[in-house]
Amino acid sequence: AAALMIGVALISAAAVFASSLRDTFGRILERAITADYVVTDESFQGLPETVGQRIAALDEVEAMTPFRAFEAEVTGEGEQIFAIDPATFPQLADLSVVDGGYDGLIEGDGLMLVQKEADKRGVGVGDTLDVTWQNGVESTLTISGLFTEEGLPGTWYVSLDTLQSVTDLPARDFFVLAKLADGADPDTAKLAIDGAVEEFPQAVVETNSEFQQSQEDQINQILRLVTYLLLFAIITVFVAGLMVGR
């Protein structure tokens, strides 16, 4: 009986935690991603850069940025550095910049760095960091801005030009953000984006709200699985207790 009561309490606690996690994650996504459309990669192999280029060329789209990543080593620590278009990125996402900004990325080898990482390293805006990219190329990045929002995948951001200057590998994008042009009809724009990426079946086009819902659905699936496993474990312990008590 005691095991059963403990199990019920654990499941109740898990349900409360799941609800809290889902709500928190939803608020983070809503705050961090301000784009109207999100194009994700269903294959997890990365989208070819043509996807973003075709979307950017549409009359219905005002701004677009891809999310591109490359591994690097900074003072002996491995980091994943994301590349974005710094001219359009502020229209599509909000990193909650607390110092500096994107000018250094637009003008040269600037770096946007999360405040927590900067504090750990004892650096700030204007300081430089030596980077060894995964292909062995070395470069020096100057911190252009600091931010606090960690709802997006990256905590290190450089420009697409910076990344292209250190590698000639074919670009692969984790996802693409796009903003609706002024006066454009949202439904018409989504159809236009769908048409632009039609030959790339792995590209999934969603509105901002659809993307948030799909991410929450994935969290719900994981949490349901955890709950089922917990319930199974409780039943197993309960049955084992009955068998021992005979």
Side-chain angles (χ1 to χ4, degrees), residues 171-222:
R172 308 297 294 184
D173 298 330
F174 277 67
F175 57 93
V176 173
L177 301 179
K179 180 182 178 181
L180 183 70
D182 289 341
D185 177 71
D187 293 333
T188 302
K190 189 171 187 299
L191 288 174
I193 296 174
D194 283 333
V197 303
E198 186 176 9
E199 70 176 82
F200 305 101
Q202 74 272 33
V204 179
V205 181
E206 296 176 300
T207 64
N208 189 305
S209 59
E210 288 171 342
F211 174 72
Q212 290 187 40
Q213 186 60 55
S214 67
Q215 298 305 298
E216 290 181 16
D217 289 344
Q218 290 181 32
I219 289 180
N220 287 335
Q221 290 177 9
I222 295 172

Side-chain angles (χ1 to χ4, degrees), residues 2-243:
L4 182 60
M5 293 300 293
I6 292 172
V8 171
L10 285 173
I11 292 176
S12 298
V16 172
F17 171 75
S19 177
S20 176
L21 178 62
R22 183 173 55 250
D23 292 345
T24 300
F25 186 71
R27 287 194 297 271
I28 289 173
L29 280 180
E30 185 176 2
R31 182 175 66 240
I33 298 179
T34 58
D36 296 302
Y37 304 97
V38 182
V39 184
T40 53
D41 170 32
E42 199 170 44
S43 70
F44 299 102
Q45 298 299 311
L47 299 167
E49 64 178 329
T50 308
V51 169
Q53 292 170 346
R54 291 187 179 183
I55 293 172
L58 295 172
D59 292 336
E60 294 85 356
V61 172
E62 179 178 323
M64 182 282 302
T65 187
F67 268 67
R68 203 167 292 167
F70 209 55
E71 299 293 329
E73 186 175 282
V74 186
T75 60
E77 294 185 28
E79 303 290 351
Q80 187 174 54
I81 300 181
F82 278 80
I84 45 91
D85 182 343
T88 60
F89 188 77
Q91 303 176 60
L92 301 163
D94 183 4
L95 292 180
S96 298
V97 177
V98 293
D99 193 11
Y102 295 91
D103 289 349
L105 279 70
I106 296 173
E107 297 166 1
D109 289 334
L111 168 70
M112 293 292 291
L113 184 62
V114 70
Q115 179 76 63
K116 185 166 60 178
E117 183 69 23
D119 291 343
K120 186 182 81 173
R121 294 176 177 272
V123 294
V125 172
D127 291 332
T128 59
L129 289 169
D130 293 328
V131 176
T132 302
W133 301 90
Q134 67 182 46
N135 57 1
V137 174
E138 298 180 351
S139 64
T140 299
L141 302 177
T142 301
I143 299 174
S144 171
L146 301 175
F147 63 91
T148 57
E149 178 58 66
E150 297 184 61
L152 292 173
T155 52
W156 299 65
Y157 290 93
V158 298
S159 70
L160 295 171
D161 289 342
T162 293
L163 182 57
Q164 289 169 357
S165 71
V166 299
T167 178
D168 55 4
L169 292 174
R172 308 297 294 184
D173 298 330
F174 277 67
F175 57 93
V176 173
L177 301 179
K179 180 182 178 181
L180 183 70
D182 289 341
D185 177 71
D187 293 333
T188 302
K190 189 171 187 299
L191 288 174
I193 296 174
D194 283 333
V197 303
E198 186 176 9
E199 70 176 82
F200 305 101
Q202 74 272 33
V204 179
V205 181
E206 296 176 300
T207 64
N208 189 305
S209 59
E210 288 171 342
F211 174 72
Q212 290 187 40
Q213 186 60 55
S214 67
Q215 298 305 298
E216 290 181 16
D217 289 344
Q218 290 181 32
I219 289 180
N220 287 335
Q221 290 177 9
I222 295 172
L223 293 175
R224 277 197 295 270
L225 177 60
V226 171
T227 301
Y228 293 151
L229 290 174
L230 180 59
L231 180 60
F232 178 75
I234 291 168
I235 293 173
T236 301
V237 171
F238 180 67
V239 172
L242 291 178
M243 296 297 292

